[in-house]
Structure formats: C-alpha cells, structure tokens
Amino acid sequence: MVEDFKEKFREFLETEDLKFTSEREAILEKIFSIHYHFDADDLVFMLRGGKKRVSKATVYRTLDLLVKSNLIIEHQLGDKKKIYEHVLGHSHHDHLICLYCSKTIEFDEPMIEDFQDRVCEKLKFIPERHSLKIFGKCQFCQKKSKP
Amino acid sequence: MVEDFKEKFREFLETEDLKFTSEREAILEKIFSIHYHFDADDLVFMLRGGKKRVSKATVYRTLDLLVKSNLIIEHQLGDKKKIYEHVLGHSHHDHLICLYCSKTIEFDEPMIEDFQDRVCEKLKFIPERHSLKIFGKCQFCQKKSKP
DNA sequence: GTATCTGCAAATTCTTTGCAATGTC
DNA sequence: GACATTGCAAAGAATTTGCAGATAC
C-alpha cells in the first residue's frame, strides 16, 4: 500500500530529474503512517528516533515535493502553520474549526462541487480546487459553556 | 458615513476600557478610504505622509481591535500575510484566487449559507462564519495560455 | 493622576536559503 | 564522477512583545 505511493514518488522524482534519497523515503513512510493531519514540526519530531535522522530543512524541502507530486495536500488552517495530510483513502473534504478549542473536524459534502462549478461558470473561472473552512463552536465547547 | 464607523469604534473601545487615540482614528479613517483589501504593510505605507505618523506595531495592534469590533474582516488568502477589508457596503463574500497571476475575485453566493447550516446541523456544530476559497485559472490567464 | 498607548528595537514563529560535505544514479 | 541533496546555521518574512516615555480621560 505505502509501496504504491513510494513508487509514485519515485516516478515523480524521475520525471523531474531528482533523486530518491533515504531521507525522502523515511519522510514518505512516516507520513503514510500518520492518519491525521500534521505540520512540519510534528513530522520532524516524529522522525526522531526513526531509522533515519532527518533535518528540519529537508523536511520542508520534501514536503514541497510531495505537494507537487500530489501525494499530500497542504492546508492553511490556522494563522501561521501550514498543515498537511496524505491522500491515501481520503477523498476531498473540508474542515470545521472550533474557535474555542481549535479542534478541527473533517467533513465531506459532495454538493460543494456543484456549487463551485456553478459559481465559476458564472464568472468564467476554471476551478482546480477549493478550501472551505467553517469556524464556530464544536459540540464539546457547547457543552462546556452551558451552565 | 465614516463618522458612523468612528462612533462605533469609539463605543467598542469604551466598553473595553480602551482609549480613542489619534493614531487609532487615523488608521480607521485610512481604512475606510480604501475600497479593496489590504495588508498591514500596505496600511503602514499609506499612512506615511498622512496627518499622523503611525508605527507598524500600532497598526498591527489596531487591526486586531478593529477585527474584534467587527468593523473590518480578516482573511488568510495567500500563504503568509493576512489581508483585511472594511465592512462598509460589503456583504459577506468569498474569493476566487487565480493560481497563475494571484489575482483575487470576490463573489457573493447566498446559497452557501444554507449549505453551511446543513452541514453544521448534521455535525452538531454551531457555525459563526466561514471562508471559501476557490483556486483556479482566471479569465485573463485562460486567454494568455491559449495559442 | 493613573492606566492605557505609542514607538522602538528586539524577540518570536514558521519557513527558506547559502554553502561545504555527502550521497545517488 | 557529476550533480542533486543534506545539515547546519544564518537569513527572511510577518507578526508580537517588553519597556520607557507620551497621552487620553
């Protein structure tokens, strides 16, 4: 399973005349073992103690390559950090973000695609992807704030 | 017109036990004279040569207050900078962002609100606001890339 | 008068980059 | 063996913060 993605990455690198290094392999393996989103620093931390030491700079550089090769997706959820997630068994989804505890909840609502196409047709824009974030109060924080 | 917003800001500051300073006034006046979005640095630059010199730190601090008082809206459109826009005569809208020239186009599609409510009801989330960005190719860049 | 504000420069946070040593094909 | 890649530490970009003097109420 992960091997398929490794192969895809290898192919991508080849078409770009880049090399499949052990650092890149270690990063890819780690990413596909994570089944939620993560940021660059999470990844650096999780790679410590693994079979290969990887520097922060290399993590950033490799994340860019993985985004370009469509093996991972990049989001700007909060203010500062970018977060990432791999595409394995993950169809497109959007996010609810709790303003009180910062928890994020994924949701999937295919109708948004129709909506996107309708808007874009009107405005003669060719959509490639979208990002919908709904900010509000999650179930847990609703309970917490009740008397 | 701008005076109304000045009054609202003054009231907001009062409820928070904060002061209506000449710097805050100058920033607010300048913002309401801009009819498109801007970032913190744009604002610092535009304030140079105005009736009041205002430092970058104060601009950042005042932008936060204006967001809290609902007189301006903050967006994270690109990667790094936050951009802002005032609410005067501006109902809620979302953005198309061209991946080729970075131009942003505003659009307004009230149906998105229904959509938001439907999703949130299912997930027991109380929505407060949302941000929808559609990335793709604008009309101009479509023409440019044709032979 | 007193507590908030301001400007400055230094600190922070996340990310990118230059360079010499290293590794891949 | 050539050229991409790595790690490091330094640079960069946007934003925040600590502090001493200035200002609003």
Side-chain angles (χ1 to χ4, degrees):
Chain A
M1 201 63 157
V2 178
E3 293 305 316
D4 295 352
F5 291 96
K6 229 184 251 190
E7 196 46 49
K8 279 188 185 166
F9 192 35
R10 207 190 290 266
E11 283 165 20
F12 167 81
L13 292 171
E14 200 167 345
T15 65
E16 304 271 317
D17 280 315
L18 303 174
K19 289 165 183 171
F20 188 74
T21 64
S22 55
E23 288 84 355
R24 289 176 182 167
E25 183 173 15
I27 291 170
L28 186 137
E29 281 179 2
K30 181 56 76 182
I31 286 176
F32 278 88
S33 78
I34 302 171
H35 296 290
Y36 203 55
H37 46 236
F38 58 89
D39 61 42
D41 223 49
D42 292 339
L43 194 51
V44 170
F45 194 75
M46 288 191 259
L47 283 163
R48 293 219 200 293
K51 66 181 178 186
K52 183 80 195 172
R53 250 200 159 294
V54 185
S55 74
K56 193 169 282 202
T58 297
V59 165
Y60 276 106
R61 289 188 273 230
T62 304
L63 284 170
D64 285 347
L65 293 172
L66 288 164
V67 169
K68 281 204 192 109
S69 64
N70 296 312
L71 290 170
I72 66 174
I73 294 168
E74 178 186 288
H75 296 279
Q76 185 95 37
L77 283 196
D79 269 7
K80 308 205 143 182
K81 298 181 188 183
K82 286 178 197 153
I83 62 148
Y84 301 87
E85 54 193 3
H86 64 68
V87 295
L88 175 56
H90 247 223
S91 63
H92 175 76
H93 58 263
D94 290 294
H95 294 92
L96 302 175
I97 302 167
C98 181
L99 291 167
Y100 304 88
C101 69
S102 300
K103 190 165 56 198
T104 66
I105 302 162
E106 297 179 356
F107 69 91
D108 184 13
E109 179 49 78
M111 262 191 43
I112 183 87
E113 306 293 339
D114 297 346
F115 177 85
Q116 168 178 298
D117 293 344
R118 190 144 15 94
V119 168
C120 290
E121 197 176 347
K122 256 192 246 175
L123 293 162
K124 301 201 191 309
F125 191 86
I126 300 178
E128 295 187 16
R129 60 188 171 84
H130 72 258
S131 153
L132 171 61
K133 293 177 275 189
I134 300 177
F135 299 91
K137 191 182 258 190
C138 74
Q139 219 175 340
F140 185 70
C141 290
Q142 289 166 42
K143 278 180 195 151
K144 265 195 310 196
S145 61
K146 275 190 196 145
Chain B
M1 200 66 157
V2 178
E3 292 306 316
D4 295 351
F5 290 97
K6 228 183 250 190
E7 196 46 48
K8 279 189 186 164
F9 193 36
R10 207 190 290 268
E11 283 165 18
F12 167 81
L13 292 172
E14 200 166 346
T15 64
E16 303 271 315
D17 280 314
L18 303 175
K19 289 165 185 172
F20 188 74
T21 63
S22 55
E23 288 84 355
R24 288 174 182 170
E25 183 173 16
I27 292 171
L28 185 136
E29 281 179 1
K30 181 56 74 182
I31 286 178
F32 278 88
S33 78
I34 303 171
H35 295 291
Y36 202 56
H37 46 235
F38 56 90
D39 61 41
D41 224 48
D42 292 338
L43 195 51
V44 170
F45 194 76
M46 288 192 260
L47 282 163
R48 293 221 200 292
K51 67 182 182 190
K52 184 79 194 171
R53 248 199 161 293
V54 186
S55 74
K56 192 169 282 202
T58 297
V59 165
Y60 275 106
R61 287 187 273 230
T62 304
L63 284 170
D64 285 347
L65 293 171
L66 287 164
V67 169
K68 281 204 191 110
S69 64
N70 296 314
L71 291 169
I72 66 175
I73 294 168
E74 178 184 289
H75 296 280
Q76 185 97 37
L77 283 197
D79 268 8
K80 308 206 144 180
K81 298 182 187 184
K82 286 177 198 157
I83 62 150
Y84 300 88
E85 55 193 4
H86 64 66
V87 296
L88 175 56
H90 249 222
S91 64
H92 174 75
H93 58 263
D94 290 294
H95 294 92
L96 302 177
I97 301 167
C98 180
L99 291 167
Y100 303 89
C101 69
S102 299
K103 190 165 58 200
T104 66
I105 301 162
E106 297 180 355
F107 70 91
D108 184 13
E109 177 51 78
M111 261 189 46
I112 183 85
E113 306 294 340
D114 297 346
F115 177 85
Q116 168 179 298
D117 293 346
R118 190 144 17 94
V119 169
C120 290
E121 196 175 345
K122 257 192 244 174
L123 293 162
K124 302 200 191 310
F125 191 86
I126 300 176
E128 293 186 16
R129 62 192 170 81
H130 72 259
S131 153
L132 171 62
K133 292 176 275 188
I134 301 178
F135 299 90
K137 192 183 258 191
C138 75
Q139 218 173 342
F140 185 69
C141 290
Q142 288 167 43
K143 279 180 195 152
K144 264 195 307 194
S145 62
K146 273 190 197 148

